[in-house]
Amino acid sequence: MVLTTDALRRRGDIFIEHEEAGCPPVLVYDYERVMDGADLAFPANYELLRILPPAGVTIDDAKRPFMIIDPRAGHGPGIGGFKSDSQVGVALKAGHPVYFVSFRRMPEPGQFISHVTRAEAAFVREVMRRHPAAPKPIVTGNCQGGWATLLLAATNPDITGPIVINGAPVAPWSGKVGENPMRYNAGVFGGTWIPMMMADMGGGLFDGAHLVQNFELLNPARTMFRKYVDLYRDVDHGVDRFLEFETWWGGFFLLNEPEIRWIVEQLFVGNRLVKNEARLEPGRPVDLKAIRSPIIVFASHGDNITPPQQALNWITETYADVDEVRIRGQRIVYMVHDQVGHLGIFVSGSVAKREHSEMTSTLATIEALAPGLYEMVIEDIQGEGQLKRFTVSFAERTFDDIRSLDDDFPDERPFAAVARASEVQAQLYDALVRPAVKAMVTPTFAEASRALHPHRTSRAIMCSKNPLMSQVPAMAEKVRADRHPAGGNNPFTQIETLWVEGMTQAIDLWRDQRDMMVELAFYTMWATPWGRAFGHSHELRRTLKQQDELRALPEVQAALAGIDEGGFVEAVIRMLVLMAENRKGVRRDRLERSSRVLDEDEPFASLGTERRAAIISRQTLIASYEPERAIETLPLLLKTTEERNLAIRIAFYVPGDVDEMAEGTLALLHRFCDILGVPRRDATVSEDPLRTAAITAPAPRTRSSAKSGSPAPEAAE
């Protein structure tokens, strides 16, 4: 007990010191400030930091940079680089330049969410300026930083490379009945007017400690009881780990009233981002279809803050089906973990070693994927611990695969009524109550309300400045000098274990009963015929195109009109796309070989990333809508026997060992041979033909757009 009390005293001291220092990022890496958002035309409290590589790590400035955006949801920045085994650590070990988007505790006066997005866009441009020889940066967004990354990519589609969205609540109405109680809060406890009033009582600033309190109430047995019990029971070895995490967990940050109101109205209550009704600022709508960068989405069944449905359902709400994803030239890869919790997505060392390591290595090749929807599947194959190795594949998925994670949409209809009621409540509060609240709140009162928040006082009261704690350090040293822990067979230890388990189960029972009552209350109030009629105007989703309308889109018609146009480059890419669609999935080793051909070998390497992506997108449309004609017209693209033989060798090289090929893949390869008049082959091509061929690879050959009447690949993109 003495040692536990001393650990809490040290936590209090760290809390005070961290607050007095302005709550700097809790990164374990050294860094330098590159840009300050406060200096921009639209000031924001965000900063761009360059992570300095630790000793023994060499950074290649020509490699694709990483930019990590941490969540601003009550806590401070640093969770993405909290440990050496982290998102930052994984990227550094791979030799990539790493930049971190940090933020200060206090927002800039008059700061809006749009200012934050503008600042992040300026940061991306600065990273691109610093690495002119590298591809566009990879942007990783954690939790709230995830939807912020989507805002950034949707409003600035020209600057971002692949984006990674980790545990981001983009479709907050989604979830399963009986499993995701947090989504009901606005319908039972009040909508937008609650954070508006809290911000007014804070003098125009919303205290992030309120958000942290909500997170803790989701699992009170863990956050309010077991966390301290585990510290008590492992106080000889677990103190440093406890204090490291508490440094971040106990740093509470503030938002301006317009920021928290935008977040609640546009996202969590209004669900407007998914419905294509969100406005970043007046006259500036946000359409997720505008994103052109490949997207990787990471979710987990063990996440009680952002369940998989909230992380993934925006895909089915934004696009009509996978065909539209392909038409837009988009690549969306998702992965659903079995059990890791919300914070574990960013903090867990095991997740960093496996999921984030595989993501980092995969992002180098993801642009070689044909447009479409894929699930990233990681399978353990050999080794243990640090030596464990994995095989990764990309399985083609349909929207039904994502919908199967949910229990359909009828349970979301009552949220439309809540959204409309929230708007009415906010207007009434703004007109009738807000003037009185603002008149009563003074700067001293606002500061006192923050200082007296239970999450701050519970830490500050245990610090060394409290006279009652003055003897604790000496007592703790005396205990450490003569420490004799009780054994596991001690009857009092066993009684203690039973008591701890009993208390945990009792708290869990209370939580489950509370969640059940909240859910019942929600549907009792809002799932009535009146509620359905009241919310009907807010229930409508964005209009999605039908299949025949998709085929009629200009991008598709332009691609199909030019089905017989092109040369060696178009033919090889078309063959690779046809093979990928035939397999309905791609293993990463095959993707790496495909990426090597398209990124490093001529004539593909000189195309550049954007033109190559445009050709892949165009050939994917041809292969999707006219697969038979796509094969039959290959001889029109490959004029000479030399070109045809080389193209066939490349087509055999990418899938790998012939003995491991699926029967359908080998049959398709043989059909390519027959169409092109090349002898069938069954031998494995183990070396890159474009590097070992005795001939020079043909240069890309296309008809001019003036002659053919079809737009160039860039125009089609």
Side-chain angles (χ1 to χ4, degrees), residues 134-148:
K136 292 179 180 179
I138 292 167
V139 183
T140 298
N142 295 325
C143 187
Q144 305 283 6
W147 56 255

Side-chain angles (χ1 to χ4, degrees), residues 191-482:
T192 309
W193 75 272
I194 296 291
M196 290 170 62
M197 184 181 70
M198 288 181 170
D200 290 341
M201 295 180 67
L205 296 172
F206 180 85
D207 190 356
H210 299 311
L211 298 176
V212 177
Q213 189 173 46
N214 280 342
F215 296 151
E216 291 198 347
L217 287 173
L218 280 174
N219 190 1
R222 171 70 255 170
T223 57
M224 298 181 181
F225 179 66
R226 284 304 292 258
K227 178 171 70 173
Y228 300 103
V229 169
D230 291 345
L231 170 66
Y232 173 84
R233 301 175 79 176
D234 191 29
V235 74
D236 296 300
H237 308 101
V239 173
D240 290 341
R241 183 173 64 252
F242 172 82
L243 294 177
E244 286 173 359
F245 180 77
E246 285 295 301
T247 302
W248 174 75
W249 190 256
F252 308 113
F253 282 58
L254 310 178
L255 296 92
N256 280 339
E257 189 273 341
E259 293 183 285
I260 188 65
R261 183 171 182 176
W262 190 97
I263 293 170
V264 174
E265 281 187 341
Q266 304 286 330
L267 287 171
F268 292 102
V269 177
N271 201 36
R272 296 177 187 174
L273 185 60
V274 168
K275 295 191 292 183
N276 197 33
E277 296 176 356
R279 297 289 184 273
L280 188 60
E281 51 195 357
R284 196 181 185 190
V286 180
D287 188 355
L288 298 181
K289 282 185 183 179
I291 300 175
R292 290 292 179 262
S293 308
I295 304 172
I296 289 184
V297 184
F298 185 27
S300 173
H301 289 295
D303 190 342
N304 63 344
I305 293 178
T306 306
Q309 299 82 16
Q310 295 185 11
L312 296 173
N313 277 2
W314 66 270
I315 301 171
T316 61
E317 293 290 298
T318 301
Y319 300 95
D321 57 19
V322 174
D323 285 340
E324 186 174 6
V325 176
R326 291 172 178 156
I327 289 171
R328 305 285 177 185
Q330 183 56 274
R331 301 158 182 84
I332 301 177
V333 179
Y334 70 91
M335 179 169 54
V336 182
H337 197 279
D338 290 335
Q339 59 187 15
V340 67
H342 185 71
L343 291 178
I345 294 176
F346 327 123
V347 178
S348 172
S350 61
V351 171
K353 292 172 185 174
R354 190 172 98 151
E355 276 77 3
H356 292 311
S357 293
E358 295 301 333
M359 283 184 185
T360 300
S361 59
T362 297
L363 284 167
T365 59
I366 190 174
E367 287 173 318
L369 276 173
L373 176 67
Y374 302 87
E375 181 179 7
M376 182 175 173
V377 181
I378 299 179
E379 300 172 354
D380 299 357
I381 55 173
Q382 60 182 6
E384 294 294 337
Q386 298 280 359
L387 300 177
K388 185 174 288 186
R389 295 293 179 265
F390 313 99
T391 181
V392 175
S393 63
F394 297 88
E396 286 194 25
R397 294 292 186 246
T398 67
F399 281 11
D400 287 339
D401 293 301
I402 292 180
R403 294 187 182 107
S404 67
L405 299 172
D406 204 351
D407 50 8
D408 212 351
F409 294 114
D411 64 305
E412 297 182 21
R413 289 171 177 162
F415 291 91
V418 174
R420 184 179 179 187
S422 177
E423 292 178 2
V424 173
Q425 293 167 358
Q427 292 172 359
L428 292 174
Y429 171 81
D430 195 40
L432 303 178
V433 182
R434 167 168 274 179
V437 174
K438 285 188 172 183
M440 292 188 294
V441 173
T442 64
T444 302
F445 176 87
E447 185 60 34
S449 68
R450 287 189 286 271
L452 295 176
H453 192 284
H455 275 62
R456 290 189 177 87
T457 57
S458 63
R459 288 166 170 78
I461 201 171
M462 298 293 289
C463 74
S464 298
K465 294 181 180 180
N466 184 345
L468 297 177
M469 303 296 291
S470 60
Q471 299 302 315
V472 171
M475 294 170 61
E477 287 301 319
K478 184 177 180 181
V479 169
R480 289 191 191 96
D482 189 26

